[in-house]
Amino acid sequence: MAPTFQDIILTLHGYWSRQGALIVMPYDTEKGAGTLNPHTFLRALGPEPWRAAYVEPSRRPTDGRYGKNPFRLQHYYQYQCVLKPAPANAQELYEGSLRELGIDTALHDLRYVEDDWEQATFGCAGLGWEVWLDGMEVSQFTYFQQVGGLEVDPVTFEITYGLERIAMFLQGVDSVFDLAWGHGVTYADLHLETERQCSRYNFEEADVELHRRRFEEHYGEAYRLLSFHSEDEKDSLVYPAYDYLLKASHSFNLLHARGALSVAQRAEYVDRIRRLAGTLAQVVVRQREALGHPLLRHQHAEETA
Amino acid sequence: MPDLLLELACEELPARFIERALSALADLARGGLEAEGLAPAEVRVGGTPRRLALWAGGLPERQPDRTIEKAGPRASAAKKDGAWTQAAVKFAESQGLRPEDLEVRAIEKKGKTADYLYARRHVPGRPALEVLAEAIPSWIERIPFAKSMRWVPGSKVRFGRPLRGIAALLGDPDLESAEVVPVRWAKLAAGREVVGHRFLFPEPFSLRSASWEEYVAALRERKVIVDPAERRAVVEVGLREHLGEEGLARHRRLVDEVTGLVEWPVVDVGAFDARLLALPEIVIVSAMTNHQRYFPIHDAAGKLQNRFAYVANRPLHPVIRHGNERVLNARLSDALFFYRLDLETGLDRRAEGLGSIVFMQELGSLADRVPRVKALAIAVAKAAGWIPADAAPPDSGLKITSSRSPLLLHLHLAAELARADLLTEVVGEFPELQGEMGAIYAREQWPDEVAEAIREAYLPRGEGDALPETRAGICLAIADKLDTIVCAWATGKKPTGSGDPFAVRRSALGILRILRARELDLGLRPLISAAVDQLPGELRREGLADEVEAFFRDRLRVLAGDPRKGEGRDKRLVAKVLASGRDPSNVVDFWRRLDALETLARDERFGPLCELVDRTRTITQKNGADVDPEDVDVSRLEHPAEKALHEAIAGCRADIRAAIEEGRYVDAGRRYVDALAEVTHTFFEPAPTGVFVMDEDPRLRTNRLALLKQVHALLAEGFVDLAATG
């Protein structure tokens, strides 16, 4: 009996929890990828150790296909796991999770194929692979090198599972909409209509002027909250600022999907977000330092034990 | 004579990194061992995505003893008041000696001989094991990767992907118990353990000897072929059976990549739903090769089959083939759905959407661009003499009308439809098929020439890519690129050291290559001016066309003179040709002139003559800026050498001008050299044989400066500026 979509999530939660990861929650702001959840973006900065796993609903307006494409969705689910510092057996841990899901790695052809990752908007870059399972890309692996424009040390290791892809593989279905989510309910039951409507909204109906305005307002708010630090860094409200930066980034994605941005304008928006994300990352690093890097105590505890 | 075996076990290196890393490792080891006095008899390397391995056979047991000699401070500064000076003591210490062990030697430095303190120190050779433990980390560190990364906390070490293990053994070939070389790097300590295939033999095993054969055999038992050439051979043999020799040759690069993706290649063939063959072949092939690294299979008649070859990284199992087939079927069904949707919609309907894609903010949409590109394409066709100068494009929308110039009609239609495929579903899924899909869809409604032009408008996409062949394609390709270049320039997005957002350099290079290969004997300048003139008023500005023309000239200089990005022709000659020309923006003429100059440069009189022409320029620039070259008063020619020069110029001038006018550059140059090499040389001899130019008498002086200007101008007007140095 192939696992349902929710079985897969529960299995991964159980597995990664046993590997010492915190099971944390998706973030309540629209974003393009699980990397932008503060549980990854902000925790990848600085020296504090961190292990976490979570499901992240991710929005990529340009990937919408009105529910007509069996693979492409403008809203989908990533399963994200971050390990910092990157352990020496990261690949083996990942392979263990596949076996836990019922994929016999001694039977299939599993491959790590070069695929470096870059999130220009948030100044992130890393080296890694996409993982092929008998020719199907099922996960993305990255060793972060830069976050918010800062070189990171220790390096965070990120695994992103394409939950839909893995579920399709395990359930042997050819369309994402045929996936069994659980208890007799399919992925289509949950998301076919949302895909149709949101694709239409993203490509045809999104109010360009509204989103231009929203971008400026959200960006302005993030900027204002961060500029507190020119007086006293401790007063900078980096977490609310990050929320507004995410919102600005989502408005940008919608404008892009609407074809409302020229190449040069796109570059300009990306540049603005990146610069602010860079400032934010620097302030976060200093604030954590001022707090005495509370999570380092775990590392110390482990080392003493 | 022991052997060294080294294996660097890493996480999967990108396929393209492996061969380069291996050859560098071999060089580093060879060089490093020689430098340490441990030159090996033989070096071998092999590797896979998960390991780089090196074997150096027949090393000396230990380094030879050496005497190291070094000169120190002057002997005169060695002692003060009978005691050793600070300088002497420090020098001795640096050499591990006492001051009294130093010798004094007379040494020549910068042509002067003096007495210096001199250290001679006997250094006993160290055992190979010890030396290797120190040397190997420096080899590892210097292996080059196109991109490298950090992964060790608190450390700056970098490698292509994380290094996870080092095996380093030193031992005699006939001995079973080689010693571990105690290498330490990236928080790893070398051992003798190695792993086999990631999933089939993950358990580490111990190597007993430093034998390459044993290493290779032990891994072969564990489903790893260490030698990349052997893996490639396995892949090729497997593929040849299904693809044939020709098919294999077509996919050379994919074979390389696949060889670097596996440790145990096994070729297998899968099939996809035959109904999917309704897709254009290019879509199927792109899905296979670009997206899945599969190989398309054709029958003997060249017809694409519904089968594909793929390379697995392990012995076959039915689930693997089934999985790969499912992926391809899904991808192609998806593509077929979109292809049918596109056909149903029609390219003309898609073209209506061009207004919704922004080209550049200041310049509106892709639809706004259509008339500009069309006008430029027609201007190119007129400049090439392919359509009458007074022809105007039909105002027929997308209908086919009769036209006295079919080319004009084709250009009109192709310009209207080019890039409409950006709005098609298939291009949305396969962006690399831009242009190709446009042509396929255009064929449904319009003549082949229109379809071809739409396809060729994108060419060349990069270095080494094909060039457009049809007249309509050539005109459209040039026009499309020129509009992009001028628009980017006008809106401040010209290329800089750090970026070139509109790929302006590549576009310019494309235009230059097309003009040359298709022998379009026309000047770029009028086309650049036309492109500038049709910009919206606020973007047009004084000097813009000059800047763009200068940019093209600079690209031409790179294309001709740069050994890496261009042809590596003699840069001095390139500079001389670029500085002249009847129409310096005529690319075909530039190459003709450069070829001619290369021929002339083989004449031994040529080099010296160039130097003399350079002297004429130096003298006249400094002293005769206002002198009119025609202002020679024959009655005031006094010196025999200046008379001879004047006669020589007068004698060859008409011939040279005619030859340049007719494009017979070699003739012009030969005539020039024959007529002037000797007399110019004599002219510049010291007086009294030669002529003193800067005579006190201003009339004599002016005469002579004018003569020299003529010498320079004879070829500089229209062919080559011999005095130019770039």
Side-chain angles (χ1 to χ4, degrees):
Chain A
M1 192 54 193
T4 61
F5 200 76
Q6 68 189 32
D7 288 338
I8 294 171
I9 294 171
L10 293 171
T11 302
L12 289 173
H13 275 349
Y15 177 82
W16 285 111
S17 176
R18 287 196 300 285
Q19 306 307 327
L22 293 178
I23 302 304
V24 293
M25 297 300 133
Y27 203 59
D28 61 347
T29 296
E30 304 99 323
K31 74 198 73 57
T35 309
L36 297 183
N37 184 319
H39 289 310
T40 294
F41 183 82
L42 297 181
R43 295 292 179 189
L45 296 162
E48 294 166 272
W50 182 246
R51 283 191 166 201
Y54 53 93
V55 178
E56 191 68 44
S58 304
R59 295 182 185 240
R60 302 219 172 143
T62 47
D63 279 354
R65 293 294 184 272
Y66 297 83
K68 286 178 182 168
N69 183 301
F71 289 116
R72 295 289 178 83
L73 302 163
Q74 54 83 41
H75 172 284
Y76 64 106
Y77 298 92
Q78 291 185 338
Y79 192 94
Q80 168 97 350
C81 176
V82 283
L83 307 171
K84 174 190 173 190
N89 63 342
Q91 287 174 299
E92 287 73 23
L93 286 176
Y94 167 74
E95 288 154 15
S97 76
L98 292 186
R99 283 190 284 272
E100 193 95 348
L101 288 170
I103 297 167
D104 184 351
T105 52
L107 206 63
H108 292 278
D109 186 16
L110 195 80
R111 222 81 76 68
Y112 294 90
V113 181
E114 175 189 17
D115 189 22
D116 296 339
W117 165 84
E118 194 182 23
Q119 220 305 359
T121 328
F122 282 77
C124 300
L127 271 67
W129 312 274
E130 51 186 43
V131 183
W132 289 5
L133 185 55
D134 298 337
M136 182 190 264
E137 183 194 340
V138 290
S139 303
Q140 183 84 35
F141 264 57
T142 308
Y143 287 97
F144 287 2
Q145 302 287 298
Q146 250 191 25
V147 174
L150 300 174
E151 290 285 316
V152 288
D153 183 14
V155 164
T156 296
F157 180 69
E158 178 194 70
I159 306 168
T160 303
Y161 299 76
L163 276 178
E164 285 85 355
R165 293 289 187 89
I166 289 183
M168 286 167 74
F169 183 90
L170 288 167
Q171 297 182 13
V173 300
D174 291 327
S175 166
V176 65
F177 296 106
D178 295 336
L179 284 175
W181 187 289
H183 307 301
V185 175
T186 66
Y187 200 95
D189 292 332
L190 287 181
H191 282 309
L192 183 55
E193 200 50 30
T194 59
E195 279 302 308
R196 284 181 184 147
Q197 295 196 12
C198 292
S199 293
R200 206 178 133 209
Y201 175 78
N202 297 339
F203 289 125
E204 302 167 39
E205 294 297 335
D207 181 336
V208 170
E209 282 321 307
L210 171 81
H211 288 290
R212 278 193 206 280
R213 212 164 53 235
R214 281 191 55 180
F215 178 88
E216 293 304 336
E217 287 169 1
H218 293 319
Y219 182 86
E221 186 70 341
Y223 195 90
R224 187 175 73 85
L225 296 171
L226 277 175
S227 52
F228 288 5
H229 89 267
S230 53
E231 288 136 45
D232 186 346
E233 213 152 74
K234 283 205 290 294
D235 289 343
S236 277
L237 302 179
V238 288
Y239 298 97
Y242 189 64
D243 287 350
Y244 280 96
L245 203 55
L246 286 178
K247 288 178 204 290
S249 155
H250 181 62
S251 293
F252 161 72
N253 289 342
L254 280 169
L255 289 169
H256 178 33
R258 282 287 274 124
L261 300 176
S262 67
V263 178
Q265 264 184 322
R266 202 156 67 217
E268 190 192 309
Y269 275 73
V270 167
D271 198 49
R272 285 173 71 192
I273 300 174
R274 189 181 54 220
R275 268 183 288 149
L276 211 49
T279 308
L280 186 141
Q282 289 169 25
V283 180
V284 168
V285 167
R286 288 194 290 261
Q287 282 193 355
R288 294 298 295 178
E289 201 177 342
L291 289 171
H293 294 134
L295 290 176
L296 274 176
R297 71 174 186 271
H298 289 279
Q299 199 170 19
H300 295 146
E302 264 173 42
E303 277 164 12
T304 356
Chain B
M1 297 293 264
D3 299 340
L4 166 70
L5 179 69
L6 174 70
E7 187 200 67
L8 306 174
C10 50
E11 299 186 0
E12 277 77 354
L13 286 173
R16 64 199 170 97
F17 289 8
I18 300 169
E19 300 242 2
R20 179 152 174 251
L22 286 176
S23 73
L25 179 58
D27 291 344
L28 286 163
R30 204 176 283 117
L33 289 170
E34 275 166 17
E36 293 289 354
L38 294 174
E42 192 190 349
V43 169
R44 292 181 205 167
V45 285
T48 72
R50 295 188 69 208
R51 63 198 84 230
L52 301 174
L54 166 94
W55 178 81
L59 303 183
E61 305 264 354
R62 54 189 308 131
Q63 295 172 314
D65 294 354
R66 283 179 294 171
T67 303
I68 293 179
E69 307 192 2
K70 195 170 175 169
R74 288 235 192 174
S76 55
K79 284 193 174 177
K80 195 176 179 194
D81 307 332
W84 294 102
T85 60
Q86 186 77 5
V89 172
K90 276 208 168 149
F91 172 64
E93 268 174 15
S94 74
Q95 298 303 304
L97 298 172
R98 292 169 307 174
E100 44 274 35
D101 298 333
L102 298 171
E103 302 169 13
V104 173
R105 272 200 199 183
I107 294 170
E108 190 188 308
K109 277 190 183 175
K110 292 177 191 161
K112 285 182 195 161
T113 304
D115 282 344
Y116 286 87
L117 287 179
Y118 197 80
R120 273 167 62 88
R121 136 177 97 93
H122 179 75
V123 181
R126 297 156 68 211
L129 194 78
E130 215 178 290
V131 178
L132 287 169
E134 285 173 20
I136 290 174
S138 76
W139 308 347
I140 303 176
E141 264 162 20
R142 284 184 290 162
I143 297 174
F145 297 102
K147 250 172 146 180
S148 64
M149 58 174 282
R150 295 175 296 111
W151 73 97
V152 183
S155 164
K156 298 274 173 235
V157 299
R158 303 182 79 94
F159 205 71
R161 285 292 182 275
L163 191 67
R164 292 304 180 198
I166 302 172
L169 293 176
L170 186 72
D172 283 327
D174 50 345
L175 280 187
E176 287 257 306
S177 54
E179 271 188 279
V180 171
V181 184
V183 176
R184 301 187 74 87
W185 194 71
K187 299 200 175 158
L188 295 168
R192 56 174 72 240
E193 294 205 319
V194 168
V195 293
H197 187 282
R198 178 180 278 285
F199 299 106
L200 304 175
F201 293 92
E203 289 306 314
F205 66 98
S206 286
L207 293 170
R208 288 166 306 170
S209 82
S211 149
W212 180 250
E213 286 75 17
E214 195 191 313
Y215 170 73
V216 168
L219 281 173
R220 191 187 305 282
E221 274 171 35
R222 291 167 178 84
K223 298 282 182 268
V224 174
I225 299 177
V226 175
D227 180 9
E230 186 186 338
R231 282 201 309 281
R232 181 179 290 105
V234 170
V235 170
E236 285 180 346
V237 167
L239 288 175
R240 192 175 286 121
E241 188 187 328
H242 308 288
L243 272 65
E245 203 56 56
E246 225 174 281
L248 194 58
R250 233 194 332 268
H251 299 293
R252 185 70 41 208
R253 275 171 60 188
L254 191 54
V255 170
D256 284 347
E257 188 187 353
V258 167
T259 302
L261 280 173
V262 294
E263 298 207 286
W264 189 261
V266 178
V267 176
D268 188 30
V269 168
F272 57 91
D273 189 338
R275 282 172 297 186
L276 297 169
L277 286 170
L279 275 167
E281 179 168 330
I282 195 163
V283 178
I284 299 175
V285 171
S286 187
M288 283 187 192
T289 58
N290 292 331
H291 297 255
Q292 294 295 138
R293 276 78 155 186
Y294 298 159
F295 297 82
I297 296 178
H298 295 80
D299 69 7
K303 194 169 161 330
L304 184 69
Q305 304 293 290
N306 66 320
R307 295 188 305 141
F308 64 97
Y310 69 98
V311 182
N313 183 30
R314 43 157 301 145
L316 296 173
H317 186 282
V319 298
I320 298 174
R321 181 187 303 164
H322 178 68
N324 281 287
E325 287 176 339
R326 260 188 63 197
V327 176
L328 187 61
N329 267 316
R331 219 181 243 289
L332 293 179
S333 326
D334 207 22
L336 184 60
F337 171 80
F338 287 133
Y339 176 61
R340 293 199 164 128
L341 195 63
D342 286 340
L343 285 179
E344 217 172 279
T345 309
L347 198 59
D348 45 353
R349 288 265 307 283
R350 297 289 189 201
E352 290 165 16
L354 286 173
S356 69
I357 302 183
V358 182
F359 171 57
M360 294 180 200
Q361 188 55 23
E362 304 85 338
L363 286 150
S365 67
L366 287 182
D368 297 325
R369 196 173 176 243
V370 168
R372 290 202 308 268
V373 172
K374 192 194 294 183
L376 279 182
I378 292 170
V380 175
K382 286 179 179 172
W386 291 338
I387 53 178
D390 61 344
D395 185 17
S396 61
L398 290 173
K399 287 192 298 291
I400 304 166
T401 53
S402 66
S403 162
R404 77 182 162 118
S405 162
L407 177 58
L408 191 59
L409 177 66
H410 297 151
L411 281 178
H412 157 71
L413 289 169
E416 291 286 337
L417 294 163
R419 303 221 176 212
D421 67 348
L422 280 175
L423 291 131
T424 64
E425 305 283 346
V426 170
V427 170
E429 298 292 312
F430 298 89
E432 69 274 18
L433 295 182
Q434 237 179 86
E436 301 286 351
M437 292 319 295
I440 289 169
Y441 296 139
R443 253 184 208 103
E444 300 287 320
Q445 290 171 274
W446 294 279
D448 277 356
E449 291 92 334
V450 175
E452 261 317 282
I454 290 171
R455 191 180 73 80
E456 291 186 335
Y458 287 91
L459 301 181
R461 286 188 174 82
E463 239 174 294
D465 194 17
L467 299 173
E469 291 186 8
T470 69
R471 287 184 165 188
I474 290 167
C475 296
L476 205 56
I478 292 174
D480 187 280
K481 292 174 179 60
L482 188 55
D483 180 67
T484 303
I485 294 168
V486 169
C487 290
W489 219 273
T491 52
K493 297 177 191 80
K494 61 185 183 186
T496 61
S498 58
D500 183 5
F502 288 92
V504 163
R505 283 196 196 95
R506 196 173 64 204
S507 293
L509 208 57
I511 291 178
L512 296 175
R513 284 182 55 204
I514 296 171
L515 290 172
R516 181 187 188 193
R518 302 296 171 241
E519 294 176 3
L520 293 185
D521 201 349
L522 52 84
L524 263 177
R525 176 59 194 231
L527 296 171
I528 295 170
S529 298
V532 169
D533 287 345
Q534 60 183 1
L535 289 173
E538 64 277 13
L539 289 176
R540 251 175 284 146
R541 61 184 158 78
E542 198 74 19
L544 186 57
D546 293 337
E547 285 171 37
V548 175
E549 191 189 347
F551 167 67
F552 269 104
R553 192 173 314 130
D554 187 59
R555 290 292 96 193
L556 198 50
R557 186 178 54 74
V558 171
L559 186 60
D562 192 301
R564 277 186 312 117
K565 297 179 200 152
E567 297 192 3
R569 310 274 273 254
D570 188 331
K571 283 181 185 163
R572 289 164 305 177
L573 301 187
V574 171
K576 293 181 197 308
V577 172
L578 275 176
S580 176
R582 279 170 299 155
D583 177 352
S585 74
N586 184 323
V587 175
V588 172
D589 190 55
F590 162 81
W591 287 104
R592 273 199 298 252
R593 291 185 287 122
L594 181 60
D595 289 342
L597 187 60
E598 281 186 346
T599 307
L600 293 167
R602 279 180 226 124
D603 186 330
E604 60 189 15
R605 294 172 296 170
F606 183 79
L609 183 56
C610 281
E611 279 167 31
L612 294 177
V613 176
D614 192 37
R615 276 176 73 180
T616 69
R617 195 202 45 172
T618 317
I619 295 173
T620 54
Q621 258 179 7
K622 203 166 139 202
N623 306 299
D626 316 324
V627 172
D628 176 359
E630 299 307 318
D631 193 12
V632 178
D633 180 352
V634 183
S635 66
R636 302 287 305 186
L637 293 171
E638 288 181 352
H639 195 287
E642 66 182 344
K643 283 183 182 158
L645 184 59
H646 175 255
E647 276 160 27
I649 294 170
C652 68
R653 175 141 63 180
D655 292 351
I656 289 175
R657 282 193 175 157
I660 290 176
E661 201 51 44
E662 290 159 25
R664 292 183 288 108
Y665 296 117
V666 176
D667 291 348
R670 288 227 166 97
R671 188 80 181 82
Y672 184 78
V673 175
D674 289 343
L676 295 180
E678 214 179 304
V679 287
T680 314
H681 177 76
T682 312
F683 184 90
F684 276 114
E685 289 277 334
T689 319
V691 182
F692 180 65
V693 179
M694 300 308 289
D695 196 278
E696 283 170 8
D697 180 343
R699 281 170 304 177
L700 287 183
R701 201 163 65 218
T702 304
N703 242 7
R704 288 167 187 173
L705 288 168
L707 266 182
L708 291 183
K709 279 197 165 180
Q710 288 184 11
V711 170
H712 183 201
L714 267 177
L715 291 189
E717 283 169 3
F719 172 18
V720 56
D721 182 349
L722 294 178
T725 51

